[in-house]
Amino acid sequence: MKDTDTLIEEIRRIYLREGHHAYGLYHLNQLQHALQSAARAEAQGYSPALILAALLHDVGHMVHDLGQAPAEDGVDDKHEELGAVWAAARFPPAVSEPIRLHVAAKRYLCAVEDGYEAALSKDSAISLALQGGPMSADEQAAFLALPYARDAVALRRIDELAKDPAAITPSLDQVLQTYVDVARQTLMA
């Protein structure tokens, strides 16, 4: 596993290289969305692992070569899987698993919560169709039985709220310096 300084620099490079790209159909970019997600997770008192998962949950969009809006071309970029694989090589499951499950959490919430699907943004509705649509009852039960399913639902709710182009957040360096080492040390002990 990479040392903390090398890992922080790697994350910085990804977000500085790719984070300026638009986040869906919103008037913000990937970095703004990531920082808002981390800030919301922190404000809600979540663990360092979930705060990092919130920061990194869409990293899969930035480590593939499918372009900036593959869903609009009818392609599921499987960013949750790509992001989880990337995170699992660097962090424990308490960080990588909520990332892997955050799309499943969207499908779950669409199935069980009245009005959730109707409130999705246009790009999220497009990707939902590509991702399998709302979960069946059997899928819901299987999802809830997974470790980190509840964290993934919390992450998905944070994801939905982190779309304010005027939000003021800590810097990427502040978030990384505060949480990368703490999460790794706590979870690896």
Side-chain angles (χ1 to χ4, degrees), residues 56-104:
L56 300 170
H57 75 278
D58 281 340
V59 73
H61 288 307
M62 293 178 271
V63 296
H64 67 57
D65 57 2
L66 297 173
Q68 294 179 36
E72 292 177 12
D73 297 325
V75 175
D76 179 5
D77 67 2
K78 301 198 182 299
H79 76 284
E80 72 281 10
E81 293 295 331
L82 292 169
V85 168
W86 181 91
R90 293 154 179 84
F91 296 102
V95 175
S96 62
E97 285 303 290
I99 293 171
R100 182 176 70 82
L101 296 173
H102 83 277
V103 167

Side-chain angles (χ1 to χ4, degrees), residues 22-28 69 72 121-126 163:
Y23 173 75
L25 300 174
Y26 296 93
H27 298 290
L28 69 158
E72 292 177 12
S121 65
K122 179 182 175 187
D123 58 323
S124 198
I126 291 169
K163 298 174 181 176

Side-chain angles (χ1 to χ4, degrees), residues 11 93 177:
I11 295 168
Q177 291 295 332

Side-chain angles (χ1 to χ4, degrees), residues 7 16 56 61 63 72 103 119 138 141 146 150 188:
L7 181 54
L16 294 178
L56 300 170
H61 288 307
V63 296
E72 292 177 12
V103 167
D138 288 344
L146 294 172
R150 303 278 181 211
M188 299 304 224

